[in-house]
Amino acid sequence: MIMASLSDAELSNKKLAAGLLGIFLGALGIHKFVLGKNNPAMIMLVVSLAGGSITCGIAYAVMQVIGLIEGIIYLTQTPQEFKEIYLDGDKEWF
C-alpha cells in the first residue's frame, strides 16, 4: 500500500493519530487499523480480548505495552521516516 498521494498535513495527521492511538488504545490495535495493517491489528485485538480474559488481563497489559512503545516510536520519527517505514514499507511491528 503506497501512500504517495498524502500531503504533508495529511501525513502529519496520520502520524499523530497513529501515535496517540498507540499510546492510549494500543492494546486494541486501533493504531494499526489507522495505518492499514489489518492482520497485526486483528492479532492485537484478539490477544487483548480473548487472551486477556483467559490470563486475567496479563495479555491485555502486554499488548498495551507494545502499543505504547509503537506510539512513542511513531511520534518521535520525522514524517518522512514514518511514511517510508510504516506507510510505504511493509514494517508491521515496532
Side-chain angles (χ1 to χ4, degrees):
M1 176 178 186
I2 296 179
M3 300 273 184
S5 62
L6 289 177
S7 70
D8 289 340
E10 291 171 328
L11 180 60
S12 292
N13 288 341
K14 189 171 279 277
K15 177 181 157 267
L16 180 63
L20 291 177
L21 286 170
I23 290 171
F24 294 111
L25 298 172
L28 301 176
I30 295 171
H31 61 291
K32 292 194 177 290
F33 282 115
V34 168
L35 297 177
K37 310 289 185 191
N38 293 334
N39 287 338
M42 289 302 297
I43 291 169
M44 289 186 81
L45 184 62
V46 169
V47 168
S48 292
L49 297 180
S53 65
I54 294 169
T55 63
C56 298
I58 294 172
Y60 185 89
V62 169
M63 290 294 111
Q64 183 60 42
V65 170
I66 290 172
L68 175 68
I69 292 169
E70 288 181 336
I72 292 170
I73 289 171
Y74 297 161
L75 293 175
T76 57
Q77 291 178 332
T78 66
Q80 190 59 34
E81 289 173 332
F82 177 78
K83 181 179 181 287
E84 289 172 4
I85 295 171
Y86 295 103
L87 298 180
D88 293 341
D90 289 331
K91 190 165 185 178
E92 296 179 338
W93 299 95
F94 294 103

